[in-house]
Amino acid sequence: MIFKRTSFLPWCLSLCLLGMGLGTQQQTRAADGAQKAGALKTLHVMLTTQEAALDPGAASDLASLSINENIFDPMLRYDYLARPVRLLPNTLSAMPDIADSGKTYTMHVQPGIFFTPDPAFKGKQRELTAQDYLYSIKRLYDPALKSPWLFMFDGKILGDEKLKSAGFDINTAVEGLQVVDRYTLRIRLKAPDTNFLFQLATPATGAVAREVAEAYADQVGSHPVGTGPFMMGKWQRSYQIELLANPSYRSVVFSSTAGKDARDRQLAAALQGKRLPRVDRVEIRIMEEAQSQVLGFLNKEFDYLEQVPPPLAEMVLVPGADIQLKPELVKRGVQLDLFSTLQTYYVWMNMDDPVIGGYTQDKVALRRAIALSYNSREDISLMERGLAIAAQTPLPPNVLGYDPAYRSPLSYDPRLANALLDKFGYKRGADGYRSMPDGQPLSLVMHSLASTKGRLRDETWRKNLDSIGIRISFKSDKNSEILKAARLGKVQMTEANWIADFPDGENFYQLLYGPNSGRANYSRFNLPAFNQLYEQSRALSDSPQRQRLYHDMAQLMHAYTPWIVRIHPLSADLRQPWLKNYKRHPVDFTTWRYLDVDETARAAAR
């Protein structure tokens, strides 16, 4: 992540070093305090990819988002148990006041909320104010940040075009962003936006203190300082991360709306009136290898395992159509939950790439042939072990705008794929592999994860493309490095997945919106007809009219094929018998603030 440099830079390096030392002292004091009261109550969890920058404005990978939502506070957050999802005030004293037919939002920040200590505050206690949220929204517009979250505000806030002029200046006054007083922020939109409140609950809108961002500049992602329930403890990059309960966290007492589900009512009763978070410490391990994830859970190193890796499902599940735990795990008290995630797995292809990109008929034919070589049924059966459904559009079930009747016009058909390539001049050589229409060799490069799962995926795509005579090689790397290269346009094609930041189709279709190229739109798909439909859809709430626009957008996506939509996973989640209050949320990445552990039961099980 690159952050715009400021006048703080001459002394930034020394301050960074000082911050590391003082931060460690503060973390030690927090841990010591907990130890005096008794043993630290610790939640043991894993993340399956490496974290990148812990900066709310820059982070888009699952690992970083999972950590950020526990350190940084957005103004709103989701009710833990309410289904369908419901928003609650987080740092606000009440839900925003909405006026002017949905174009004006007034937010009142609770007094007495403080950032965790940091040298950037020069020894003073730093209170959260309305100005912090104004600053955090404005910095998303900084071109140096390259925020993948700018789409949530870009072109929506009254006067925000001033922030996009040459020479970005964070101090530029914007008509639609106004601090009324120390604790009151008013945001005015150019037009009503039915998803705006959802966006105020995303980790990307968590409050960042200006002093911290300017003190650490392009290293701010290595110095997460927030007002949330946890603060950073020890941090061994890409291996182990420790979060400590924030000792200055405001008094947050659990309250939720449980439905008719008996288990939900039990969870609500167990948590009602209790202060959050429930544990003193969260120990996070980065476990990229699928086998290590499952073995770590079976060895009781982790309190839960979300989304059992499908290739290893038979280590914990009974083979067969019905998804059931193995008897020995049932005997141990392990619990199984099935959860339909708001998630889509897909392959994107770089539309600016000279080999695979472009909008001419021959380039479209190449991408469409690649899509036709993908065998969804075989992928779900063999690779996903049945724990998925075939994706037809970018939208997963239970997202607003999802159409269960829609079917993709592109299904597995290698014969048609070969015919397309023949027609548009991709000729086979003596070795069976094809050349470009101009006679140059045709060879593709796919970025993939440097893991066992990544290698298995590589072989799947090698098989697919061999069947239509396309040579492919693979460049294995860390997920964070692939994302960096993708932002720079240096990835030709790769597999990816997207988890909903808010439960609406806009959050998925923005990944294909032209102005988001290089940010959330890694494929750099920029089709005027698609962009126009997307802009029209943003002005509508969930309705038959918007559904028709989504239908037409899906048709254009399939026609030009910047994406191959693969699957929507069905998550098999396991939890240990000593874990309390666990329930997956459709939108929140983690539920760590609500989870509790019975340390006596854990010790007895070991």
Side-chain angles (χ1 to χ4, degrees), residues 73-75 90-94 106-114 127-134 179 181-186 207 227 250:
D73 266 326
M75 289 181 270
N90 186 34
T91 58
L92 303 184
S93 57
T106 303
M107 282 74 68
H108 301 281
V109 178
Q110 297 176 42
I113 298 175
F114 296 94
E127 188 180 25
L128 174 72
T129 68
Q131 185 68 41
D132 294 310
Y133 284 111
L134 180 142
V179 172
D181 58 41
R182 182 173 177 82
Y183 302 110
T184 305
L185 174 67
R186 181 165 294 138
T227 60
R250 61 193 179 277

Side-chain angles (χ1 to χ4, degrees), residues 289-525:
E289 289 292 343
Q291 187 174 42
S292 299
Q293 296 162 19
V294 178
L295 289 176
F297 178 82
L298 294 176
N299 291 336
K300 305 174 185 177
E301 297 170 22
F302 302 107
D303 297 324
Y304 65 83
L305 169 61
E306 290 180 344
Q307 213 153 326
V308 170
L312 302 178
E314 292 183 7
M315 291 178 67
V316 294
L317 302 178
V318 177
D322 294 333
I323 301 173
Q324 299 179 31
L325 269 180
K326 284 191 168 182
E328 56 266 34
L329 293 180
V330 174
K331 188 175 180 180
R332 273 176 43 175
V334 172
Q335 300 290 315
L336 168 68
D337 297 302
L338 296 178
F339 182 76
S340 180
T341 62
L342 304 186
Q343 188 173 15
T344 300
Y345 283 75
Y346 58 99
V347 173
W348 60 258
M349 292 174 274
N350 186 345
M351 296 293 286
D352 290 342
D353 183 80
V355 175
I356 207 171
Y359 299 82
T360 57
Q361 288 187 340
D362 59 323
K363 300 296 188 179
V364 172
L366 174 59
R367 293 192 300 274
R368 194 174 297 175
I370 295 170
L372 291 168
S373 78
Y374 170 65
N375 189 336
S376 174
R377 183 174 297 179
E378 183 178 272
D379 193 11
I380 291 172
S381 174
L382 298 182
M383 294 295 293
E384 305 300 331
R385 296 298 195 271
L387 293 172
I389 62 172
Q392 307 297 327
T393 77
L395 306 191
N398 301 316
V399 163
L400 293 175
Y402 172 75
D403 180 1
Y406 182 92
R407 289 295 176 268
S408 167
L410 299 179
S411 57
Y412 177 60
D413 193 339
R415 186 169 64 175
L416 178 57
N418 277 302
L420 262 178
L421 293 171
D422 291 341
K423 179 178 179 179
F424 286 93
Y426 295 92
K427 297 179 180 179
R428 285 185 185 265
D431 59 359
Y433 288 106
R434 296 180 182 272
S435 60
M436 299 284 287
D438 63 3
Q440 295 295 314
L442 172 58
S443 183
L444 304 181
V445 178
M446 174 180 271
H447 277 63
S448 63
L449 293 177
S451 64
T452 299
K453 182 178 180 181
R455 289 187 288 274
L456 289 171
R457 299 302 310 165
D458 293 350
E459 290 310 307
T460 296
W461 280 105
R462 192 187 307 280
K463 175 186 173 184
N464 293 343
L465 296 182
D466 274 351
S467 71
I468 58 173
I470 295 178
R471 182 182 283 105
I472 188 168
S473 60
F474 300 91
K475 184 174 182 180
S476 298
D477 211 334
K478 300 175 183 177
N479 184 63
S480 57
E481 295 303 313
I482 295 173
L483 285 175
K484 288 178 185 177
R487 291 191 182 107
L488 296 172
K490 295 182 178 180
V491 175
Q492 188 179 74
M493 62 187 298
T494 191
E495 289 195 346
N497 74 90
W498 186 263
I499 304 175
D501 304 296
F502 50 90
D504 190 274
E506 178 192 339
N507 189 233
F508 287 84
Y509 276 121
Q510 61 88 19
L511 299 170
L512 290 158
Y513 180 50
N516 286 342
S517 294
R519 299 198 298 259
N521 179 359
Y522 292 126
S523 71
R524 287 171 159 74
F525 182 55

Side-chain angles (χ1 to χ4, degrees), residues 24-78:
T24 301
Q25 293 173 21
Q26 291 153 2
Q27 294 150 12
T28 302
R29 284 198 296 270
D32 288 346
Q35 284 176 330
K36 289 177 182 177
L40 286 173
K41 188 182 286 187
T42 301
L43 180 69
H44 295 274
V45 302
M46 73 176 81
L47 293 173
T48 58
T49 58
Q50 299 175 21
E51 79 285 5
L54 299 184
D55 177 351
S60 63
D61 61 289
L62 179 58
S64 299
L65 290 168
S66 298
I67 297 166
N68 282 347
E69 73 175 8
N70 289 281
I71 294 177
F72 298 94
D73 266 326
M75 289 181 270
L76 304 177
R77 68 171 300 105
Y78 290 91

